[in-house]
Amino acid sequence: KRQRFICALTIFGFKKKPIHSLGIIEGMISKTKKGKNGFGYDPIFIPNGKKITFGQMKPSLKFKIDHRSKAFKKIRKFLVVVDDTSECHRAISYASRRAMQTKGKITLLRVVNTSDFKNVYGVEAIMKQEAEENAREILKTYSENVNADTGLVPELVVRFGQPTTEIIDFINEDGSISLIVLAAATAVSYTHLT
């Protein structure tokens, strides 16, 4: 007999909008109970493409393919802070490969530090515009590389302000960031993110 199990996942966080995701696994019901792992339907449910029940599987395998993991994987979003360090491309490469492997998403965030052009009378707006254009060009280049390597299309975000504050604010506003990936030798201290 064909069967389907569904996980309707909703996550609420402090000052965050709710995140919703749906995970579905299809399979068959075994005529007899098989295996001692798991609980509930695990000893009788055989997922499509497998010859054993969830109850016979190692938990590590079940957790990779069940309906709950599928729901969580859909909301996995990697945030990469794009800075000027030489290691930045490695952070982007790592995050994009992980996002591809876990069927997640990737966001590239570039923060333009506005303290770099404050108190420059008469040209502050021009400097901000040039900095934004430069930031968007950098993100576009990295985005094209990510797409060529993984097929993913990153979300591109430019923010203005003090980097640590902007990163924290963006994470709180977005509400779906699962992981943040930083270059190893970042020029700005991000210790306040914890």
Side-chain angles (χ1 to χ4, degrees), residues 80-92 109-113 116 131 134-139 142 163 167 181-188 190:
V80 182
V81 177
V82 177
D83 58 20
D84 293 325
T85 63
S86 61
E87 293 82 7
C88 183
H89 73 282
R90 289 188 189 115
I92 294 170
L109 170 65
R110 177 85 174 180
V111 179
V112 176
N113 191 340
D116 292 344
N134 182 52
R136 293 204 182 281
E137 190 59 37
I138 289 168
L139 290 177
Y142 279 126
I167 293 166
V181 181
L182 300 170
T186 55
V188 177
Y190 297 112

Side-chain angles (χ1 to χ4, degrees), residues 7-173:
C7 173
L9 176 68
T10 299
I11 298 175
F12 289 91
F14 179 69
K15 291 186 177 181
K16 297 179 184 178
K17 59 187 174 194
I19 303 165
H20 307 284
S21 180
L22 196 64
I24 301 171
I25 182 115
E26 298 195 18
M28 296 178 53
I29 299 297
S30 171
K31 293 180 182 179
T32 60
K33 289 183 178 183
K34 299 176 184 174
K36 297 184 181 192
N37 293 327
F39 63 96
Y41 65 85
D42 289 350
I44 60 168
F45 184 74
I46 304 169
N48 284 348
K50 303 292 180 191
K51 296 183 180 184
I52 60 174
T53 67
F54 273 160
Q56 293 171 291
M57 286 182 191
K58 290 181 180 179
S60 59
L61 174 59
K62 179 201 169 199
F63 296 145
K64 288 181 183 177
I65 65 170
D66 75 358
H67 53 301
R68 290 175 195 88
S69 74
K70 288 182 178 189
F72 273 103
K73 285 177 183 175
K74 286 182 180 178
I75 61 168
R76 176 165 280 203
K77 187 189 268 189
F78 294 82
L79 171 64
V80 182
V81 177
V82 177
D83 58 20
D84 293 325
T85 63
S86 61
E87 293 82 7
C88 183
H89 73 282
R90 289 188 189 115
I92 294 170
S93 178
Y94 169 80
S96 61
R97 285 193 320 269
R98 290 295 299 151
M100 180 186 68
Q101 292 167 352
T102 61
K103 295 184 177 30
K105 299 173 184 172
I106 184 168
T107 298
L108 303 179
L109 170 65
R110 177 85 174 180
V111 179
V112 176
N113 191 340
T114 53
S115 67
D116 292 344
F117 45 83
K118 281 196 175 181
N119 300 323
V120 182
Y121 300 107
V123 294
E124 183 177 339
I126 295 170
M127 290 177 72
K128 185 176 179 182
Q129 180 181 356
E130 289 175 354
E132 181 175 8
E133 290 170 3
N134 182 52
R136 293 204 182 281
E137 190 59 37
I138 289 168
L139 290 177
K140 180 181 176 220
T141 300
Y142 279 126
S143 177
E144 290 169 352
N145 293 340
V146 167
N147 185 258
D149 292 343
T150 65
L152 298 174
V153 178
E155 173 186 24
L156 307 179
V157 178
V158 176
R159 290 183 69 117
F160 297 90
Q162 197 280 328
T164 303
T165 302
E166 291 303 318
I167 293 166
I168 292 168
D169 287 350
F170 178 73
I171 291 169
N172 288 332
E173 291 165 16

